[in-house]
């Protein structure tokens, strides 16, 4: 094959009807210079540069076809998978070379995977004027190639009918001439619609049903979130607009429906509803002053209990007007008063159908019990406040404006945090059952050093004091029955300037007489001037005021046990309280 560059395969020579690789008969032009190829032979048989010579055919239309799976061999093809290379037709006027008539045409290698099958591609017809080879005149031309179904290997190439002008079809790349499929690139048409071509897999894993379900769930969740965000934005914008512009129509505010007027009996409202008809407001005027206070009805005969400092401005010729919760008014007169207890009783005239306020027992009261106060602070009649009992037996003194101490009241009081203000004086302090357990009398103000009657202008700071109802009942009964109240006495005069602990008996009486009344309860018990009384019935006393308060908490005739200190020694004495008329 050393002279392979000087020979040209004759068209149609050596073509096997089955597409086998058969060498063609080569001829050499006589008397003429053999044409030289325009370029070096292409070992890969790539169209249009597959063979030398100026008559190299144009690139044929190519169609893609599926390649058999790796390791398989198409039907009718050898394992090598290399097809025969087509022979080129001789140029016009060329004379075949007898010496090379039996030489097979050169076969050029082609790059195709083993086992692939590509059908032979028909060769071009000889140019006009070419002389056919007599030895091959009878050889039948190869049959035109038939394109196999996409994805299947060609079985064999059928021979072309006799007289066909087509040259033998060279096997495409990857064929060996022993039968194979059509070259997938030999008839490629970039504009053709490959309707029969199956879909190709891109290599990605196909999603499972669970993955598709999860993707669908995520898509639904995302859509719902998007809808919620959009809806929220629209709603917020609409709400802001309506809020700034007052809505889209008339405004109608929500309101609770009508409810029953009844309240629980032990509630503040229930207590107030029962007690208010028995509470009155007193307007007092005299020649020098006037004032306002509160009182409550004791019986159906028109007796009303209040504080002494409330009716004091009226004196002996002033006016007292009583206003009931219903708004009715009536004139009242003083029945009796006692400055030492700060209590007074007045009586209205010409009034019937009064509702007395039930009385409780102050000895049953315990610290922390709920209480309700009713009064007319600053002439605001029917004011109701509530709180608890803060302390019991709180010794307080009130009054003292006279200077001689005749108007000082000594009260073993109930302390409460229920607000009590000027005008509440004489009003009732009620327990949880609506019963009077005290008479509101004094408050401790922030700008005063002690308790004072609430007839002043100081306001409540949560320190209110009430006379226990047990003491008030006894004094009221005495005032109604006799017009005056009696005070329990020990029959001694105290040194009110003593600054030590306890109450010291003075050296002499206020009128210059003896400090221990001759024949009185103290003298009979053996009390002497200079003795210091430190306890009453076992309860410690720290001053003369406390001793008076503890004594007045009892009735005349009650027995007391006193603890004394004399010459550094402690002793106890027992006595029966005497009685004196109050002033």
């Amino acid at each position: 094959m050393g002279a392979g560059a000087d020979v040209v395969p004759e068209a149609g020579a050596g073509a096997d009807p089955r597409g086998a690789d058969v060498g063609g008969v080569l001829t050499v032009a006589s008397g003429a210079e053999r044409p030289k190829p325009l370029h070096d032979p292409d070992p890969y048989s790539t169209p249009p540069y597959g063979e030398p010579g100026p008559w190299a055919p144009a690139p044929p239309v190519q169609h893609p076809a599926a390649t058999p799976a790796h390791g398989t061999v198409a039907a009718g093809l050898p394992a090598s998978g290399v097809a025969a290379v087509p022979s080129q037709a001789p140029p016009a006027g060329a004379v075949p070379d007898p010496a090379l008539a039996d030489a097979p045409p050169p076969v050029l290698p082609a790059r195709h995977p083993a086992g692939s099958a590509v059908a032979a591609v028909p060769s071009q017809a000889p140019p006009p004027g070419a002389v056919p080879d007599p030895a091959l005149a009878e050889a039948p031309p190869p049959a035109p190639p038939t394109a196999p179904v996409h994805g299947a290997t060609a079985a064999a190439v059928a021979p072309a009918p006799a007289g066909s002008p087509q040259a033998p079809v060279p096997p495409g790349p990857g064929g060996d001439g022993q039968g194979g499929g059509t070259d997938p690139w030999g008839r490629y048409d970039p504009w053709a619609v490959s309707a029969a071509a199956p879909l190709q897999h891109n290599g990605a894993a196909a999603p499972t049903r669970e993955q598709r379900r999860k993707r669908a769930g995520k898509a639904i969740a995302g859509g719902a979130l998007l809808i919620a965000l959009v809806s929220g934005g629209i709603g917020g914008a609409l709400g802001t607009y309506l809020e700034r512009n007052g809505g889209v129509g008339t405004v109608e505010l929500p309101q609770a429906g009508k409810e029953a007027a009844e309240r629980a009996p032990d509630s503040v409202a229930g207590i107030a509803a029962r007690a208010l008809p028995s509470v009155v407001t007193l307007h007092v005027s005299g020649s020098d002053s006037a004032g306002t206070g509160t009182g409550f009805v004791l019986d159906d005969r028109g007796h009303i209990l209040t504080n002494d400092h409330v009716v004091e401005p009226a004196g002996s010729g002033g006016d007292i007007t009583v206003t009931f919760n219903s708004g009715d008014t009536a004139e009242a007169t003083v029945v009796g008063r006692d400055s030492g207890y700060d209590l007074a009783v007045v009586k209205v005239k010409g009034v019937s159908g009064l509702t007395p306020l039930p009385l409780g027992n102050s000895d049953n009261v315990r610290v922390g019990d709920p209480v309700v106060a009713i009064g007319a602070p600053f002439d605001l009649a029917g004011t109701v406040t509530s709180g608890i009992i803060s302390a019991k037996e709180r010794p307080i003194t009130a009054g003292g404006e006279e200077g001689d101490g005749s108007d000082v009241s000594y009260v073993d009081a109930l302390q409460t945090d229920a607000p009590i203000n000027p005008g509440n004086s004489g009003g009732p302090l009620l327990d949880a059952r609506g019963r009077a357990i005290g008479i509101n009398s004094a408050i401790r103000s922030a700008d005063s050093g002690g308790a004072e009657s609430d007839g002043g202008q100081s306001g409540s700071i949560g320190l209110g004091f009430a006379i226990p109802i047990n003491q008030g009942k006894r004094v009221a009964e005495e005032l109604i029955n006799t017009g005056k109240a009696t005070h329990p006495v020990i029959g001694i005069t105290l040194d009110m300037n003593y600054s030590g602990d306890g109450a010291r008996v003075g050296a002499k009486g206020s009128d210059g007489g003896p400090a221990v009344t001759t024949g009185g309860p103290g003298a009979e018990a053996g009390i002497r001037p200079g003795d210091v009384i430190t306890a009453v019935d076992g309860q410690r006393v720290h001053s003369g005021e406390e001793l008076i308060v503890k004594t007045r908490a009892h009735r005349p005739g009650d027995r007391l046990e006193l603890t004394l200190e004399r010459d550094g020694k402690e002793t106890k004495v027992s006595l029966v309280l005497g009685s004196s008329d109050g002033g």
Side-chain angles (χ1 to χ4, degrees), residues 238 241-253:
L238 181 59
Y241 172 80
L242 294 178
E243 187 273 335
R244 291 180 178 178
N245 295 275
V248 295
T250 58
V251 176
E252 184 175 352
L253 301 177

Side-chain angles (χ1 to χ4, degrees), residues 83-87 119-124 167-172:
V85 178
S87 301
V121 179
S123 61
Q124 297 293 330
V169 179

